[in-house]
Amino acid sequence: MAIPFSRPSIGEEEIEEVVACLRSGWITSGPRTARFEQEFAAAVGAAHAIAVSSATAGLHLAFLALDLRPGDEVITTPMTWPATLNTIVQAGGQPVLVDIEPGTLNLDAELIERKLSKKTRAIVPVHFAGQPCDMDAITAIASSRHLRVIEDAAHAVGTEYRGRKIGSIGDAAVFSFHPIKNITTGEGGMITTADADLARRLRLLRFHGVERDAWKAYGGAQLPFYDVSLPGLKYNLTDLQAAIGIHQLRKLDGFIARREELACRYDRALAEVPELRPLGRVPYSCRHAHHLYVVRLDREGLSIDREAFMAAVQAAGVGLGLHFTAAHQLSYYRQRLGNLEAELPVATDESRRIFSLPLYPAMSDGDVDTVVDVLTRTVQAHRRSPGSRPA
Ligand SMILES: *Cc1c(COP(=O)(O)O)cnc(C)c1O
């Protein structure tokens, strides 16, 4: 009975809505996408929500909307999926990496100041694993220097920071609906913003730079003439995807409640396994979306390395994830940014210890117990005797 790393929770509501969409005669962006945008904006307390084909697409559009000039710098974290940095580069910017906090693996806001330059244009926090970054500290730095804050909120659908929902704080926040994320549309994403002008530009960039809702012309209500005011891309979400998203969004609170129960069960059980250290909690009030359950391996206490440990756990039928290999360790960024290991000591060290355990609403309590059992047996089989521990 293998336990996969991830599995989406899709119910009859999603299936029936997709079927209704298929039967309706309109399957690309249209009324269901518009409804999903309205309901998502209301759910996170944002004035505007722009549905896109992925968070990667959303980040690309948000960075394009900054109108970066060559050499402009964007501050972000190395502990993220490559999309965060790749889209900064694609929009013409230079990523500047700031080290992370050892407990939460979130961007360390106290270290931002020393990486600022005359070329800095934006700060991009990533709410790692579903815990919010220190947004008061980040927005204070940004507003004193006229920088934009673009949040990579791929892990943070449902996250709250000091009573405020992620999606209502930065200049823009970008969410992901990839199947492993807290809610899914198969593939998809959403950008939220309070800025009406930014929202208008994002909508233009999302669809060829063409200002017009094609679906409103369906049935002959509008003439098919068009104009292009910006060289846009094609990053729209389809109604087939929005049909899934509308129902996933309604289930979000229940999904997070179940994720929290499972995470607490891991916390209690792993307290007995000192070789596996879960993440720490942020010191301020928050709602943790429990997107990932990441642990750090005490490599020094074991006779095998992290890669062999993960292989042994997977061979025993438990799927694992890796979030993330620090960006400065990836070939392209090592070449582009140089060797940053000494400048980013926490990310460098954590990147070699971490892996992610299965965590999703479809898991049973017994599944958590099975995962912990496999982890415990793997630790026991490879524990160094105290005498053989390296000095
Ligand atoms: C998943 C993820 C993305 C990309 O999301 P897609 O919807 O797959 O494009 C970006 N940033 C982070 C931190 C992610 O985890």
Side-chain angles (χ1 to χ4, degrees):
M1 28 91 264
I3 297 174
F5 173 66
S6 178
R7 184 180 161 82
S9 291
I10 302 292
E12 288 307 312
E13 301 84 356
E14 286 86 337
I15 293 167
E16 280 167 23
E17 191 79 36
V18 169
V19 172
C21 178
L22 284 167
R23 292 193 200 285
S24 76
W26 192 269
I27 58 178
T28 186
S29 308
R32 284 184 171 84
T33 303
R35 195 166 114 213
F36 186 37
E37 288 179 332
Q38 282 158 18
E39 292 179 4
F40 194 92
V44 305
H48 308 277
I50 298 100
V52 284
S53 51
S54 68
T56 305
L59 290 165
H60 191 199
L61 297 187
F63 297 141
L64 285 174
L66 293 173
D67 283 327
L68 299 173
R69 287 157 309 201
D72 278 356
E73 295 173 354
V74 177
I75 291 195
T76 192
T77 169
M79 190 49 67
T80 188
W81 182 242
T84 320
L85 280 81
N86 290 349
T87 50
I88 291 170
V89 171
Q90 287 293 341
Q94 173 73 351
V96 173
L97 298 177
V98 167
D99 208 1
I100 55 175
E101 302 170 349
T104 62
L105 310 195
N106 268 333
L107 179 68
D108 190 337
E110 287 186 8
L111 302 178
I112 292 175
E113 211 69 68
R114 67 184 73 161
K115 294 289 174 111
L116 296 175
S117 81
K118 287 199 295 273
K119 294 256 182 193
T120 310
R121 296 288 311 284
I123 304 172
V124 181
V126 176
H127 305 295
F128 186 79
Q131 283 201 100
C133 293
D134 190 351
M135 293 307 292
D136 284 346
I138 291 168
T139 51
I141 295 167
S143 58
S144 71
R145 310 280 189 126
H146 305 290
L147 308 176
R148 293 286 205 161
V149 176
I150 311 289
E151 295 164 74
D152 180 333
H155 298 183
V157 187
T159 297
E160 295 176 18
Y161 170 77
R162 295 187 196 272
R164 293 149 74 199
K165 296 193 163 87
I166 295 301
S168 68
I169 302 176
D171 292 293
V174 181
F175 299 87
S176 172
F177 309 133
H178 179 276
I180 86 155
K181 303 293 159 75
N182 279 14
I183 60 173
T184 188
T185 58
E187 295 281 359
M190 193 75 80
I191 317 171
T192 60
T193 181
D195 180 337
D197 182 55
L198 177 61
R200 203 189 121 261
R201 290 212 294 144
L202 290 168
R203 287 181 193 283
L204 278 173
L205 287 167
R206 174 182 62 175
F207 195 74
H208 311 291
V210 169
E211 196 152 14
R212 145 180 115 83
D213 285 326
W215 62 278
K216 287 184 180 158
Y218 187 60
Q222 224 178 57
L223 290 167
F225 305 113
Y226 61 87
D227 191 19
V228 169
S229 52
L230 282 172
L233 291 152
K234 183 148 191 288
Y235 282 166
N236 55 303
L237 189 82
T238 70
D239 267 23
L240 285 173
Q241 294 165 311
I244 305 170
I246 287 164
H247 293 280
Q248 289 275 295
L249 185 60
R250 290 177 191 162
K251 299 175 183 179
L252 175 63
D253 288 339
F255 286 164
I256 293 177
R258 181 59 186 151
R259 285 174 172 274
E260 185 172 14
E261 285 174 5
L262 296 163
C264 287
R265 197 170 180 89
Y266 273 132
D267 285 343
R268 284 193 300 272
L270 291 175
E272 311 295 319
V273 191
E275 287 86 352
L276 292 170
R277 216 160 26 91
L279 296 187
R281 293 301 176 89
V282 296
Y284 33 83
S285 77
C286 81
R287 184 202 205 196
H288 187 338
H290 294 284
H291 170 54
L292 297 172
Y293 197 95
V294 174
V295 292
R296 283 79 64 84
L297 186 68
D298 171 23
R299 297 181 300 150
E300 294 77 6
L302 298 175
S303 59
I304 55 172
D305 63 11
R306 183 211 25 199
E307 288 65 23
F309 188 92
M310 290 175 70
V313 171
Q314 297 221 139
V318 172
L320 298 174
L322 177 51
H323 305 89
F324 295 100
T325 298
H328 64 290
Q329 308 289 45
L330 305 171
S331 300
Y332 176 78
Y333 290 103
R334 212 189 337 225
Q335 271 182 27
R336 185 177 177 116
L337 308 176
N339 184 341
L340 295 177
E341 288 191 1
E343 250 182 84
L344 305 170
V346 180
T348 302
D349 181 56
E350 296 290 340
S351 175
R352 294 178 177 141
R353 299 179 178 282
I354 49 181
F355 57 89
S356 311
L357 307 181
L359 180 70
Y360 43 96
M363 285 178 82
S364 68
D365 290 357
D367 289 336
V368 170
D369 298 345
T370 302
V371 173
V372 172
D373 192 51
V374 167
L375 292 169
T376 305
R377 281 191 283 112
T378 311
V379 165
Q380 282 166 352
H382 301 285
R383 217 171 237 157
R384 268 185 213 279
S385 55
S388 71
R389 232 186 133 104

